[in-house]
Amino acid sequence: MSYILYSYPDCASHVVRMVLEELGATYRDENVDMRADAHHSDEFLRLNPRGMVPVLADLETGATLSETGAILAYLAERSGRLAPPITAPEARAIFLQWLYFISNTLHADAQVQYYTERYVGDELAEESRAVIHQRMRGHFAMIEASLADRGGDWLLGGDLSVCDFYLGGCARWSLIAPRHAPLEPEAVTSHPHLNSLLERLEARESVVRAFAAEGTERSSYFRAPVRSRHTRVAAH
Ligand SMILES: N[C@@H](CCC(=O)N[C@@H](CS)C(=O)NCC(=O)O)C(=O)O
């Protein structure tokens, strides 16, 4: 399996990178320099008219797609890993439920937390952020309750899935961004099951490699990067 990952450090592309690393996939990194507005270039808009990373190009099938949740489902299907198979409907149902929840609620709310001004304008941003923080707290509490109820190391129970990486990314963004108004760490760390899931995830070699590839190796789900640079990732 070989891919091109259009990315920017610590963005949603980080989740896709962790999964590519976990799968041991060969991929080339294309840094979309958002500081230089590269995500609005004609070239990039042809790949994703919404002007957002990540975009994944599959060099074997010719498929190119955006939307983190869709990319994760695609990678799970292509590899036959990190998701229950279609022949296991009960487990598959739970997988789909979590993937869609993370994509259309947890990630969407994390975006509102980050881009609050875009949604409500400058004047209402501060008070709106209090509301969105409360929503994020509620999501993490609900996830904790589900983890406690279901048992096992991961969101789906016993087996690691793409949902765990996606959850990790959303928890991280919520705890570190925006810099002037992140969620308090306790919104996650006070939940023992969620906290240990993230610690387990963070200890995986794939995740360590993904952080290192983005130049954020001294950061974690719980800590913002101490420096910001982007290194091009060599295919492996
Ligand atoms: N719905 C998209 C959201 C991705 C997203 O929010 N990407 C951000 C970076 S983390 C982005 O490209 N932002 C550029 C912009 O909004 O101008 C997905 O799930 O992939």
Side-chain angles (χ1 to χ4, degrees):
M1 290 184 292
S2 57
Y3 300 96
I4 303 174
L5 174 62
Y6 295 85
S7 66
Y8 191 73
D10 237 337
C11 279
S13 45
H14 179 67
V15 174
V16 178
R17 186 188 305 288
M18 289 191 283
V19 168
L20 287 168
E21 291 286 346
E22 182 71 29
L23 293 173
T26 302
Y27 68 98
R28 178 160 61 78
D29 206 42
E30 274 298 328
N31 181 29
V32 180
D33 188 352
M34 295 211 281
R35 279 169 311 184
D37 213 29
H39 54 311
H40 292 134
S41 67
D42 289 346
E43 190 191 354
F44 187 71
L45 289 173
R46 271 194 291 278
L47 294 171
N48 182 3
R50 288 179 300 286
M52 289 187 151
V53 298
V55 169
L56 186 78
D58 184 334
L59 297 175
E60 284 174 20
T61 63
T64 297
L65 72 167
S66 58
E67 290 301 310
T68 307
I71 295 173
L72 297 183
Y74 180 85
L75 286 172
E77 262 168 41
R78 281 278 285 141
S79 64
R81 290 173 54 197
L82 297 177
I86 217 148
T87 49
E90 259 185 76
R92 184 83 185 167
I94 293 166
F95 161 72
L96 289 172
Q97 181 185 297
W98 278 117
L99 185 62
Y100 277 74
F101 165 76
I102 296 172
S103 172
N104 72 22
T105 305
L106 189 65
H107 187 184
D109 280 357
Q111 279 192 293
V112 179
Q113 182 186 321
Y114 186 65
Y115 293 123
T116 313
E117 287 77 4
R118 267 191 207 176
Y119 288 83
V120 298
D122 290 342
E123 271 179 30
L124 292 176
E126 206 174 315
E127 60 188 278
S128 303
R129 210 169 264 124
V131 176
I132 199 70
H133 278 171
Q134 196 52 28
R135 280 180 62 83
M136 294 304 285
R137 286 185 201 104
H139 298 328
F140 292 130
M142 181 275 291
I143 291 168
E144 171 68 14
S146 169
L147 289 170
D149 191 40
R150 192 181 304 282
D153 281 354
W154 306 109
L155 204 48
L156 306 187
D159 294 324
L160 176 72
S161 76
V162 292
C163 296
D164 297 295
F165 294 96
Y166 205 179
L167 169 62
C170 292
R172 172 172 171 77
W173 303 321
S174 185
L175 296 181
I176 69 166
R179 275 173 199 271
H180 62 282
L183 194 60
E184 73 284 355
E186 295 73 24
V188 167
T189 57
S190 67
H191 298 308
H193 296 84
L194 174 58
N195 200 53
S196 46
L197 182 155
L198 293 177
E199 284 177 354
R200 264 191 296 281
L201 198 61
E202 191 175 287
R204 295 188 79 79
E205 281 180 22
S206 56
V207 175
V208 173
R209 280 199 302 273
F211 275 121
E214 297 193 355
T216 54
E217 64 266 34
R218 287 169 62 200
S219 65
S220 73
Y221 287 119
F222 308 101
R223 288 187 307 276
V226 278
R227 67 197 162 77
S228 171
R229 70 169 168 79
H230 186 70
T231 38
R232 276 181 174 263
V233 182
H236 62 273

